Amino acid sequence: MKKFLKLVMELKSWICLSFTASILIYLTVEFALAWAEEGGRLAAAWASFAGARMRCTLILQMFILCACISLLQYVFFSGRALKRLGYGLRMALFAALCFGLCLGFAAAFHWFPLENPGAWLSFAAIFLIAYVGISLGFEIYFRVMGKKYDEALGRRRRLSNGEDSVNKT
C-alpha cells in the first residue's frame, strides 16, 4: 500500500507539472494568434486575448492528455518500469509516443481542421519546440540539483573525515 501511495503522489506531481505546462503553451499560442490577427498591435491583441474563453471540455481533454503523458513519463523515467534503456533512446521513444498521443487527441477532438496541413505543421512545430524547451528545463534543473547534492555530500564526507581524525588523536 505504501508503494501505491508513493506512486500516486509522484503521478499527482507529474500531472500538475504537465497540466501547468500545457495551459501555459496554450495561452502563449492563443496570444500569438491574437497578436497576428490584430496586425501586431499589442493593445488590440491583449483586448482580443482577454475576451477569449477556454471551453471546459478542452480543459478536461488537456487534463486527460496530461494524465496519459504522466503515465508514460512514469514508465520511461521513474526507473521502475524500464531499467536498461539508454537515456537518448528513452527520450526519443517518449517523444514519439507523446507526439502520437497528442496527435490522436488533436484529431479525435478536432482541435483544428483535419484538412488543413498548415495547422498540422504548426502543431508539430509547437510540439517540438515545447518538448525541447521542457526537456532542457528539466535537464538544467537536475544538473543544478545534482551539483548541490554532490557539494552537500562532499561537505558531509569532509566533516565526517574531520571528526574521525579528531577522535583518533
Side-chain angles (χ1 to χ4, degrees):
M1 184 66 163
K2 191 175 182 178
K3 286 182 181 181
F4 175 74
L5 291 176
K6 185 177 179 182
L7 167 67
V8 169
M9 293 306 290
E10 283 182 49
L11 285 176
K12 176 194 67 94
S13 296
W14 291 348
I15 291 169
C16 288
L17 285 170
S18 179
F19 187 69
T20 300
S22 68
I23 294 296
L24 290 173
I25 292 165
Y26 177 85
L27 292 173
T28 301
V29 170
E30 279 294 312
F31 184 76
L33 290 172
W35 187 67
E37 287 174 2
E38 297 297 336
R41 297 187 328 261
L42 188 59
W46 180 254
S48 174
F49 176 73
R53 300 284 185 258
M54 193 173 180
R55 297 182 333 265
C56 288
T57 54
L58 179 59
I59 294 170
L60 182 61
Q61 292 163 14
M62 290 176 74
F63 179 77
I64 293 168
L65 176 62
C66 291
C68 293
I69 289 172
S70 294
L71 285 172
L72 279 177
Q73 186 179 5
Y74 174 80
V75 168
F76 279 90
F77 299 107
S78 70
R80 293 182 189 101
L82 297 175
K83 297 181 188 234
R84 296 182 184 208
L85 194 61
Y87 188 69
L89 186 55
R90 275 178 207 261
M91 291 292 287
L93 287 172
F94 178 71
L97 289 172
C98 281
F99 185 64
L101 195 58
C102 290
L103 280 175
F105 268 70
F109 296 113
H110 305 286
W111 287 354
F112 37 83
L114 297 175
E115 64 279 351
N116 184 348
W120 289 100
L121 288 174
S122 296
F123 177 76
I126 291 167
F127 177 87
L128 182 62
I129 291 167
Y131 184 78
V132 168
I134 291 168
S135 297
L136 286 174
F138 274 111
E139 187 67 27
I140 291 167
Y141 170 78
F142 286 123
R143 284 186 186 213
V144 167
M145 291 308 293
K147 286 181 183 178
K148 285 184 180 182
Y149 286 131
D150 287 344
E151 289 171 4
L153 183 60
R155 283 193 305 271
R156 176 75 176 140
R157 285 181 178 157
R158 284 192 303 275
L159 181 64
S160 177
N161 289 338
E163 287 178 0
D164 288 343
S165 63
V166 170
N167 292 334
K168 290 180 182 177
T169 55

